[in-house]
Amino acid sequence: VAERGAAPAVRIIGFGCHPDHLTPEARAALASCDYVVAAAKSDDDRLLAVRAALCRQVGVELVAVPDPARDRTGPDGHGPRDYDGAVRDWHDARAEAWGAVLAERGGVAGFLVWGDPAFYDSTIRVVDRLGLSYDVVPGISAPQLLAARHRVVLHEVGRPVLFTTGRRLLADAVGHDNLVVMLDGSLTCRRLSGEWDIWWGANLGTSSERLVSGPLAAVLPEIESARAAAKADAGWVMDTYLVRRAS
Ligand SMILES: C[S@@+](CC[C@H](N)C(=O)[O-])C[C@H]1O[C@@H](n2cnc3c(N)ncnc32)[C@H](O)[C@@H]1O
């Protein structure tokens, strides 16, 4: 890990949920890179296009690296039986692909991370495998934007909040009163038992942003149609929500 004062070989830079969220600190970090490495998931990779636009703005070269395939097969069609093992293999394959580019090019490489690198993103873990010095510049994450848009604190006074995924929500809801849910393509909150309030947001920080809040059971139809509308507007949808057990 980069010592204070030592120049990092790799800079992991969070850029928020929209190019306008790039902070002055992140912009300066990006400008200090010799090039940016970005995973290319397909020929029509929307996230790659956002990164390319940021690099053009700042005048830094973008090096697109084909992303190794991840094993998403499994008995229920929602992922492999050994989920952790499949993710580990995928991280190893990414580290190998990125390491080859860094070894060939040298200099300071940047990685542009959607939101903040600390939330549901593997860049830090993968770069850490490379054994190079690196630093991390924070960005505005989806949960922060969600809280700001709804003008809420993510927990009551002095209470905890759990960050989790749609995949784990039903198990994690047992014993927790405040949960921030990400990576949920299928609105798993529909299957929560008990009474909950929800603060939901899709495509936060973009022109297709949608917000809905209220008692979960009452506002679910509104969330479903707002989700479809966000997708129709932008061609994609990503949503994050806070659920709180109703008191
Ligand atoms: C791979 S994670 C990346 C999270 C990101 N590092 C962050 O700090 O927000 C992707 C998930 O983040 C959430 N997300 C990212 N961008 C979003 C946005 N603009 N609006 C709502 N949710 C978003 C969604 O839950 C999505 O499934």
Side-chain angles (χ1 to χ4, degrees):
V1 175
E3 300 294 331
R4 259 180 196 286
V10 177
R11 311 205 70 176
I12 301 174
I13 305 163
F15 66 90
C17 298
H18 188 272
D20 288 352
H21 293 168
L22 195 70
T23 65
E25 185 190 22
R27 180 175 289 273
L30 176 55
S32 76
C33 294
D34 295 309
Y35 55 96
V36 160
V37 177
K41 291 186 191 261
S42 63
D43 290 345
D44 173 29
D45 186 330
R46 181 180 57 79
L47 296 180
L48 183 63
V50 174
R51 290 177 172 94
L54 279 169
C55 288
R56 269 196 306 277
Q57 252 183 40
V58 179
V60 176
E61 183 192 0
L62 179 112
V63 181
V65 180
D67 209 26
R70 185 170 138 195
D71 181 4
R72 292 184 189 272
T73 58
D76 57 3
H78 292 295
R81 200 180 300 273
D82 177 12
Y83 179 82
D84 291 347
V87 170
R88 220 174 19 251
D89 290 350
W90 181 51
H91 288 174
D92 286 344
R94 271 190 154 184
E96 202 178 312
W98 296 357
V101 174
L102 269 54
E104 191 192 317
R105 294 195 159 234
V108 179
F111 288 84
L112 285 169
V113 175
W114 185 270
D116 185 274
F119 286 101
Y120 296 109
D121 185 272
S122 58
T123 310
I124 293 178
R125 290 190 194 96
V126 174
V127 167
D128 197 54
R129 282 165 157 78
L130 300 177
L132 298 168
S133 62
Y134 64 90
D135 70 354
V136 178
V137 179
I140 298 172
S141 65
Q144 285 174 285
L145 268 178
L146 178 79
R149 293 295 193 258
H150 283 290
R151 301 176 302 159
V152 294
V153 180
L154 294 174
H155 48 80
E156 305 96 329
V157 177
R159 301 286 301 162
V161 57
L162 184 78
F163 289 80
T164 191
T165 61
R167 203 168 169 268
R168 297 192 48 117
L169 173 61
L170 299 181
D172 286 345
V174 179
H176 288 98
D177 295 340
N178 291 294
L179 301 100
V180 170
V181 185
M182 300 170 79
L183 291 167
D184 186 4
S186 46
L187 281 178
T188 308
C189 57
R190 279 187 281 228
R191 296 193 280 133
L192 276 175
S193 51
E195 298 210 355
W196 297 82
D197 292 319
I198 187 166
W199 291 263
W200 173 91
N203 297 8
L204 293 159
T206 75
S207 55
S208 54
E209 178 175 289
R210 295 289 194 287
L211 301 170
V212 176
S213 63
L216 176 60
V219 298
L220 257 176
E222 199 184 332
I223 292 176
E224 284 164 353
S225 54
R227 198 172 192 281
K231 183 156 191 189
D233 274 8
W236 56 275
V237 62
M238 283 203 289
D239 51 352
T240 298
Y241 53 89
L242 166 69
V243 279
R244 177 169 298 163
R245 208 176 285 280
S247 46

